Amino acid sequence: MKSTGNAEPEGTSKPSGNARTLALTVCSAAIGGTFQYGYNISIINAPTLFIQRFLNDTHMERWGTALDTHQVTLLWTIIVSAFSLGGLLGALLAGPMAVHVGRKNSLLLNNSFLFVSALLVLTSRLAKSFEMIMLARLLVGINSGVSMNIQPMYFGESAPKHLRGAVAFSSAVFTAFGIFMGQVVGLTELLGTEPLWPYLLASNALPGLIQLLTLPWFPESPRYLLIDRGDREACVRALGRLRGGEAPALEMEEMLQEQQQQQTAAMNSGSTSSAKTPWALFKDPAVRSQLRTVMFASSAMMLCGNDSIYFYASYIFHEAGIPPGKIQYASIGTGASELTASILSNLLIERVGRRSLLVGGYSLMSCWSVVFTLALIFQSRGVAGLSYLSMACVFAYILSFGLGPAGVTGILPAEIFDQAARPAAYMVAGSLMWINLFLVGMLFPFIVKGLGNFCFLPFLAVCVVSAVFLGLTLPETKGKTMAEITAEFDRKNGKDRMNKQVGEPIRDQYQLGTASLPTQDTRSQP
Ligand SMILES: *[C@@H]1O[C@H](CO)[C@@H](O)[C@H](O)[C@H]1NC(C)=O
């Protein structure tokens, strides 16, 4: 039984019903959303050798020459990295899509990329074309890029204030769940065999299909319907369904105020929308240190190599000396670690605080990479039994990542940017995330090959720098209002008081539903 909806702390006239529709909406959206990101990151790992053989064979058949190991690695890396390149395209596509077709319809439409990619991958072997696999991975990447940006928006706008943290964090849990499921489906007992690899890569169409069949029955984001569409009746209907009863009067009132404020802001700035562009964000000195922190955090999240471990899990475990027969189970352990950690983190975040989780996570990861490196060194000197220690280190690394950086990084833009700047902040954060995933994905195999036992030292550097930088720049945001957070950033910036006073009124409206000062939007007037 769901009892979350009864915990409504606001002064609504009557307690709104239950949050079952909201919970189901979250599941339906996430199964085709961040779940897909995790799933597609991990399913590419199991068929590595099969696809590499396919590359070699196809090349042989077409051009009569075999490929050497280097060439195969290069082609394989392109296949792996096409996903992140697609993700970047998707992240850029997501903004306009969310505004023009709506949040829910974007997610539904997004599945078309998936179905085309599944078709390509299923026919690639028949067509004897590895280019089709590359294209397919690019399309899957676009799908993930779109949903990674639109899903948090859709969730944030649909959840009531007191559930927003938990709902936003569910994105990270679904990512971890996707990773885990991808590893399970990739087992040799299931689809992880040579004849079945095209079906494994195409299996992401199934969650897409589930979303396509279920999501249409759930409401569109009420905030989008009212503010972007101006459709008040549809908004009331959607809000009523999401809250399990009538639309709460207070929430409706807040939304109307916000609509008014956005219209005023748009009129003042002479544009059709009050939302900021990423460019405007870069030019605004008032948010410079916030932007720097978010850019740093989202880059570090990928540069620490965690998500690349999933691309290359088998390879790392092979290098660490795990017997081949056990590698696939070790890989599942990585997914299970992150899933456990993200669920744990979901419970901890309101207690421990964002900053502690983030800084603590990176500090722990630094420790594990030191131990991992030592284990690899001693192992190569012939000390027996260390392969399991190195495996444990990889688990601990992922566990520490899942506990802090995995979830907190994603909600950071929402916590430290105001309503008008938030979409642009997500766009910047998303693009950086994908670019860095691309870079690490591209370089990872060469790092492992080139540095051997010291392959984790670059990641150690990233973790240490992240822990120090975020420890110095990020104020604790737990339970604080937007104004307090901004004031802390300003103090760290050494900003003069006047600047702060101008900036504060609009930042008070940070909470999606507390817009109440529609005429004081001083910052949109130059
Ligand atoms: C590619 O295939 C040829 C024979 O078909 C083989 O000799 C060669 O080692 C293979 N290359 C790789 C990298 O496996």
Side-chain angles (χ1 to χ4, degrees):
M1 243 201 35
K2 281 263 172 234
S3 60
T4 36
N6 298 330
E8 191 99 3
E10 298 143 14
T12 35
S13 48
K14 55 182 152 187
S16 54
N18 57 52
R20 199 192 304 138
T21 311
L22 178 66
L24 290 176
T25 308
V26 163
C27 291
S28 170
I31 199 82
T34 50
F35 176 88
Q36 287 282 10
Y37 169 70
Y39 191 78
N40 285 301
I41 268 192
S42 69
I43 51 168
I44 198 69
N45 177 49
T48 302
L49 284 178
F50 311 139
I51 298 181
Q52 288 183 345
R53 205 171 298 157
F54 174 72
L55 292 173
N56 194 6
D57 292 349
T58 322
H59 199 275
M60 188 75 185
E61 229 170 276
R62 242 199 259 169
W63 289 295
T65 52
L67 294 167
D68 63 30
T69 325
H70 254 80
Q71 291 164 316
V72 168
T73 308
L74 184 68
L75 282 180
W76 173 244
T77 312
I78 293 174
I79 290 180
V80 169
S81 302
F83 177 68
S84 354
L85 215 58
L88 178 61
L89 293 179
L92 298 176
L93 196 66
M97 240 174 124
V99 174
H100 290 116
V101 277
R103 278 58 160 153
K104 187 178 87 170
N105 289 340
S106 296
L107 286 178
L108 288 173
L109 208 62
N110 193 20
N111 287 311
S112 50
F113 295 116
L114 208 64
F115 296 140
V116 175
S117 108
L119 212 63
L120 279 173
V121 104
L122 283 178
T123 47
S124 66
R125 191 160 49 183
L126 273 174
K128 296 192 193 313
S129 158
F130 52 78
E131 293 86 350
M132 286 165 76
I133 307 179
M134 293 174 186
L135 186 60
R137 290 297 291 177
L138 186 81
L139 291 173
V140 172
I142 294 178
N143 171 279
S144 294
V146 168
S147 49
M148 286 284 275
N149 270 15
I150 292 184
Q151 185 187 311
M153 238 186 282
Y154 184 42
F155 284 5
E157 292 172 347
S158 302
K161 215 181 297 175
H162 64 287
L163 289 179
R164 195 164 294 137
V167 169
F169 215 88
S170 69
S171 298
V173 176
F174 271 97
T175 304
F177 183 48
I179 290 173
F180 179 69
M181 282 311 291
Q183 289 168 334
V184 170
V185 176
L187 281 175
T188 44
E189 287 85 355
L190 293 168
L191 293 180
T193 55
E194 180 133 28
L196 291 180
W197 67 258
Y199 299 98
L200 174 61
L201 289 193
S203 63
N204 54 19
L206 195 65
L209 197 65
I210 294 176
Q211 179 179 72
L212 210 58
L213 293 178
T214 55
L215 194 60
W217 307 104
F218 294 110
E220 171 66 280
S221 145
R223 222 164 274 274
Y224 170 77
L225 289 172
L226 183 70
I227 296 169
D228 295 60
R229 274 285 150 83
D231 190 344
R232 190 171 166 168
E233 268 161 46
C235 168
V236 172
R237 238 178 296 128
L239 192 62
R241 287 194 56 204
L242 283 169
R243 301 292 176 267
E246 257 174 62
L250 187 70
E251 213 176 339
M252 197 61 214
E253 186 59 35
E254 285 171 346
M255 246 187 253
L256 283 168
Q257 278 180 354
E258 192 182 341
Q259 182 196 25
Q260 225 169 33
Q261 177 216 340
Q262 297 246 339
Q263 280 170 349
T264 317
M267 235 156 28
N268 286 340
S269 63
S271 73
T272 50
S273 150
S274 67
K276 284 195 178 137
T277 61
W279 182 236
L281 214 57
F282 279 112
K283 286 196 300 190
D284 186 354
V287 297
R288 191 150 293 158
S289 70
Q290 284 92 321
L291 194 61
R292 203 188 312 133
T293 306
V294 161
M295 286 172 70
F296 189 90
S298 42
S299 305
M301 177 178 170
M302 290 301 156
L303 287 179
C304 74
N306 182 79
D307 287 15
S308 314
I309 289 181
Y310 295 116
F311 287 151
Y312 300 108
S314 313
Y315 189 72
I316 298 172
F317 288 130
H318 179 77
E319 296 287 294
I322 304 294
K326 291 187 180 156
I327 285 182
Q328 57 168 337
Y329 303 105
S331 300
I332 287 195
T334 58
S337 296
E338 185 162 340
L339 184 57
T340 316
S342 65
I343 292 171
L344 204 66
S345 181
N346 209 348
L347 303 173
L348 283 177
I349 187 148
E350 294 299 347
R351 239 162 271 185
V352 182
R354 284 79 159 133
R355 180 170 178 270
S356 323
L357 283 177
L358 210 51
V359 176
Y362 280 121
S363 308
L364 282 175
M365 286 161 78
S366 310
C367 299
W368 300 127
S369 33
V370 171
V371 181
F372 184 61
T373 308
L374 289 178
L376 287 184
I377 291 172
F378 284 118
Q379 200 177 323
S380 66
R381 299 242 172 103
V383 182
L386 282 182
S387 60
Y388 287 94
L389 175 63
S390 29
M391 185 174 82
C393 283
V394 173
F395 285 173
Y397 192 80
I398 290 174
L399 204 71
S400 314
F401 176 81
L403 215 48
V408 181
T409 310
I411 61 175
L412 222 48
E415 297 239 310
I416 64 181
F417 282 98
D418 61 39
Q419 181 69 30
R422 197 173 296 131
Y426 264 110
M427 222 160 137
V428 173
S431 311
L432 272 174
M433 206 192 88
W434 286 102
I435 289 172
N436 285 304
L437 181 65
F438 172 75
L439 283 180
V440 180
M442 207 65 184
L443 294 177
F444 201 90
F446 299 101
I447 291 176
V448 173
K449 271 217 182 86
L451 295 181
N453 291 339
F454 301 102
C455 62
F456 251 62
L457 289 189
F459 304 125
L460 170 65
V462 171
C463 292
V464 171
V465 172
S466 306
V468 173
F469 179 85
L470 292 171
L472 290 177
T473 59
L474 183 69
E476 180 54 70
T477 53
K478 177 190 69 165
K480 289 205 181 129
T481 67
M482 195 64 199
E484 287 169 328
I485 295 171
T486 309
E488 290 218 32
F489 268 110
D490 284 351
R491 241 198 320 282
K492 281 172 196 289
N493 255 355
K495 204 164 283 171
D496 54 313
R497 295 191 62 207
M498 221 198 75
N499 204 349
K500 205 170 95 189
Q501 278 166 351
V502 173
E504 226 148 6
I506 184 151
R507 290 190 192 114
D508 279 331
Q509 299 154 10
Y510 148 68
Q511 282 286 350
L512 284 171
T514 55
S516 55
L517 298 159
T519 50
Q520 295 195 25
D521 187 10
T522 39
R523 282 202 305 166
S524 57
Q525 311 166 4

